[in-house]
């Protein structure tokens, strides 16, 4: 259960690829130390939660092979 992982606030890396996830809980924003998030090859639909933009240390996000139609603009780096 990914919600339970959201209580592990010292995580810097979360790899949950290939898990048939359909959504992310808003509580993922508690992982304020997170630097890497791998969500590839799941069933994430529509949009990622806007709360992900609160994770200011997040540098590597992999979301390929999902059913997403949008990514919050706050998460897109101009680099």
């Amino acid at each position: 259960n990914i919600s339970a992982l959201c209580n592990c606030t010292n995580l810097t890396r979360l790899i949950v690829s290939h898990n048939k996830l359909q959504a992310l809980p808003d509580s993922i924003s508690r992982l304020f130390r997170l630097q890497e998030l791998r969500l590839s090859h799941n069933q994430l639909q529509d949009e990622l939660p806007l709360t992900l933009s609160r994770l200011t240390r997040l540098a590597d996000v992999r979301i390929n092979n999902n059913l997403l139609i949008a990514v919050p603009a706050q998460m897109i780096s101009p680099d």
Side-chain angles (χ1 to χ4, degrees):
N1 181 337
I2 195 166
S3 293
L5 290 173
C6 293
N7 292 322
C8 301
T9 57
N10 288 323
L11 281 179
T12 59
R13 232 175 137 197
L14 180 59
I15 300 172
V16 289
S17 300
H18 299 276
N19 277 289
K20 299 182 182 178
L21 298 175
Q22 295 181 345
L24 293 176
D26 284 338
S27 59
I28 198 162
S29 66
R30 291 185 205 148
L31 302 176
F32 61 92
R33 290 192 172 112
L34 205 61
Q35 297 173 15
E36 181 180 354
L37 179 59
R38 294 188 189 183
L39 301 165
S40 301
H41 300 277
N42 279 295
Q43 298 170 359
L44 297 173
Q45 300 176 24
D46 301 324
E47 298 181 4
L48 291 174
L50 188 57
T51 55
L52 278 180
S53 62
R54 294 182 194 157
L55 303 176
T56 58
R57 296 181 185 183
L58 202 53
D60 185 4
V61 180
R62 299 182 191 189
I63 56 172
N64 57 300
N65 294 347
N66 280 288
L67 305 170
L68 296 168
I69 58 171
V71 174
Q74 296 89 332
M75 290 188 64
I76 299 172
S77 173
D79 310 307

